[in-house]
Amino acid sequence: VQPLVSSLSALLGAEKVLSGDAIGDDYTHDEALCGERHVPLAVVLPSGVDDVRRVLVWASDNRVPVTARGAGTGLSGACVPRANGVVVSFERMKRVLEIDTENHVAIVEPGVSLEALNAAVAEKGLVYPVFPGENSATLGGNVATNAGGMRAVKYGVTRHHVLGLEAVLATGEVIRTGGKFVKTSTGYDLTQLVIGSEGTLALVTQVTLKLVPLLRHSATLLAPFPTLDEAVCTIPLLVVSGVGPLLVEYIDRMTMMAITAQSGVSLGIGADMQASTEAYLLVVVEGRTADRVDEDTQLAGATLAEHGASDVFVLPASAATQLIDAREKSFWAAKRAQASEVVDVVVPRASLPEFMHQVKAIAERHSTFIPGCGHAGDGNVHLAVFERDPDKRYALMRELFEAGRRLGGVISGEHGIGVEKKRYFLELEDPAKIALLRRIKQAFDPNSILNPGTIFD
Ligand SMILES: Cc1cc2nc3c(=O)[nH]c(=O)nc-3n(C[C@H](O)[C@H](O)[C@H](O)COP(=O)(O)OP(=O)(O)OC[C@H]3O[C@@H](n4cnc5c(N)ncnc54)[C@H](O)[C@@H]3O)c2cc1C
């Protein structure tokens, strides 16, 4: 061990390598609820692409596993290192390199957080519109997980906003893909292949992002529904109504109680109505002018009311911000309530009612309850599973994943496979596709040094 770490320090300079007690606990885990922790041999803190290149050549020569790390906010164990491996943490590569206002493009290093990026581009009247719920997450992590979030119903997910990458292959070769343009028909799309690959194909050292104009007018509607079924049946109607909502989230009653209690938010809805509500829809519309937003608010409100909402509240701006923030923190409420897993199945949005029926039946069969909320406009749910026994939890989660797949969905809409969902993925996915993915992995990373054990064994 010691000679390996010494050779790494000699290669990069001791100030870029942490080992032994200098490796803080944060580097050993992410936010996955059941995840294992591993202390790596060393943590490397590159300051540029050349450092990354040198680490990968060294790791290939010495057959040392390498796990990239952004902010460690992932929910699938994908940045948890191997005990015999090194972490490449991008915390020092956090420069916004360029904001090109004519092309609506930003070029960033992978360690830039969503918060820092949006603060920088807001000054130019622009926004990077992908909003996964955790603002400390990095663009490198977002690319590697293809992060989604609440605004995907309008703007899509990370892969719809990444125009190009600079990435280092396991061999140490540096590739540049795409650029400041929005289309390409020039061979296989390597940008899209690397997006969502969870650090298993290449290490991303620069990201070219598509920005959009910041729309300054918005309205937030909260609609309580007597049944979950009515709430989720209304979602496709809302999305196709022409309103083009920025956000359509469902929150079931138990989750709403947990997130409002955790954040100290008052819904401003009478106790009787809250007691007769099984689920809420939270809808945001945005636009360039206040008139346009008013028009869309009317239409969205009418759609919600016509399809079973007990009432429709247009929230004051500060209450809206607080409630959306509380919803973004639902993961912490689930963690506090000692959930053992959060499942993020995605199905076609029109199949959500049937999926939720099946979730209820699965919960009853397993004598448990499965509360949740989610990006319902995308058909993407976040269900909290409470089952400590690993075998029972496996059986329950497999049924949830199978139900999603039968309805034309997949087992993860945005959190990734990582190590936590690997077993289900390998058991349930088409073997021909798994075999092809393995061959792609082999082509990129012949010695299997990049995040081995993530997605596949
Ligand atoms: C409260 C909370 C709410 C969340 N809400 C959402 C949500 O709404 N939508 C959503 O999609 N996710 C959500 N997440 C999950 C998480 O924020 C995302 O997965 C995010 O993309 C992880 O970014 P990170 O920088 O923390 O990456 P990490 O967790 O550090 O790493 C994630 C993966 O990226 C790889 N990686 C990191 N940097 C690089 C790089 N430069 N090159 C190659 N691979 C790299 C790692 O190896 C790992 O495989 C939430 C998490 C929390 C805690």
Side-chain angles (χ1 to χ4, degrees), residues 30-31 67-75 78-79 90 110 131-134 136-150 198-199 202-205 327-329 331-332 375 382 414-415 451 454:
D30 67 0
E31 295 298 343
T67 298
R69 181 181 178 88
T73 69
L75 299 174
C79 75
F90 286 95
F131 268 63
E134 178 54 56
S136 64
T138 65
L139 269 301
N142 281 195
V143 167
T145 57
N146 186 27
M150 288 197 191
E198 303 187 52
L203 299 196
V204 173
T205 47
R327 155 64 192 95
E328 277 174 341
K329 295 191 167 62
F331 169 77
W332 304 116
H375 313 311
H382 292 334
E414 55 180 25
H415 295 162
N451 223 1
T454 295

Side-chain angles (χ1 to χ4, degrees), residues 8-350:
L8 196 51
S9 295
L11 184 69
L12 298 171
E15 74 289 355
K16 291 182 183 168
V17 181
L18 307 177
S19 61
D21 291 345
I23 300 176
D25 176 62
D26 265 2
Y27 295 112
T28 68
H29 67 96
D30 67 0
E31 295 298 343
L33 291 173
C34 270
E36 285 185 13
R37 293 171 180 236
H38 298 295
V39 181
L41 289 181
V43 175
V44 175
L45 307 169
S47 58
V49 61
D50 200 48
D51 286 342
V52 178
R53 197 186 56 70
R54 285 192 290 167
V55 175
L56 289 183
V57 171
W58 170 90
S60 280
D61 288 348
N62 293 289
R63 300 289 193 272
V64 174
V66 173
T67 298
R69 181 181 178 88
T73 69
L75 299 174
S76 63
C79 75
V80 179
R82 303 315 113 190
N84 60 342
V86 300
V87 168
V88 175
S89 171
F90 286 95
E91 64 204 64
R92 291 186 185 167
M93 288 178 66
K94 54 176 182 187
R95 286 177 304 160
V96 175
L97 299 170
E98 186 183 350
I99 300 171
D100 177 340
T101 51
E102 288 190 314
N103 287 306
H104 278 186
V105 159
I107 302 181
V108 302
E109 290 186 322
V112 170
S113 69
L114 285 164
E115 190 170 22
L117 173 64
N118 272 317
V121 299
E123 290 173 13
K124 315 271 183 194
L126 296 168
V127 63
Y128 174 65
V130 186
F131 268 63
E134 178 54 56
N135 259 334
S136 64
T138 65
L139 269 301
N142 281 195
V143 167
T145 57
N146 186 27
M150 288 197 191
R151 299 187 181 184
V153 65
K154 176 164 181 181
Y155 288 109
V157 299
T158 303
R159 69 169 72 255
H160 303 121
H161 288 271
V162 175
L163 300 175
L165 298 172
E166 177 188 84
V168 187
L169 305 181
T171 52
E173 293 159 288
V174 180
I175 58 164
R176 297 190 74 94
T177 69
K180 288 184 181 179
F181 43 81
V182 294
K183 60 205 289 196
T184 169
S185 296
T186 314
Y188 300 155
D189 193 334
L190 296 174
T191 309
Q192 294 299 331
L193 198 48
V194 171
I195 295 171
S197 64
E198 303 187 52
T200 63
L201 296 184
L203 299 196
V204 173
T205 47
Q206 243 181 56
V207 192
T208 302
L209 296 163
K210 181 164 78 175
L211 307 172
V212 300
L214 188 58
L215 301 179
R216 299 204 181 267
H217 298 273
S218 67
T220 302
L221 295 85
L222 179 66
F225 282 79
T227 65
L228 177 61
D229 194 45
E230 284 165 293
V232 289
C233 281
T234 307
I235 291 159
L237 305 169
L238 197 62
V239 176
V240 300
S241 68
V243 164
L246 173 66
L247 184 157
V248 182
E249 295 286 309
Y250 94 94
I251 305 168
D252 71 15
R253 179 174 44 190
M254 195 182 287
T255 305
M256 184 63 104
M257 283 164 61
I259 65 173
T260 49
Q262 174 177 259
S263 302
V265 176
S266 160
L267 283 184
I269 296 179
D272 285 354
M273 187 174 287
Q274 287 195 42
S276 62
T277 295
E278 203 177 89
Y280 298 81
L281 289 187
L282 182 63
V283 179
V284 178
V285 293
E286 65 164 6
R288 205 165 46 79
T289 65
D291 285 351
R292 182 64 201 268
V293 169
D294 283 349
E295 225 177 85
D296 284 347
T297 306
Q298 296 295 333
L299 178 54
T303 309
L304 292 164
E306 270 165 33
H307 294 93
S310 316
D311 206 337
V312 181
F313 302 91
V314 180
L315 302 182
S318 62
T321 308
Q322 282 174 9
L323 185 56
I324 292 167
D325 188 58
R327 155 64 192 95
E328 277 174 341
K329 295 191 167 62
S330 60
F331 169 77
W332 304 116
K335 185 172 178 175
R336 239 168 53 169
Q338 305 202 324
S340 20
E341 285 278 4
V342 173
V343 164
D344 83 308
V345 167
V346 62
V347 296
R349 77 169 75 87

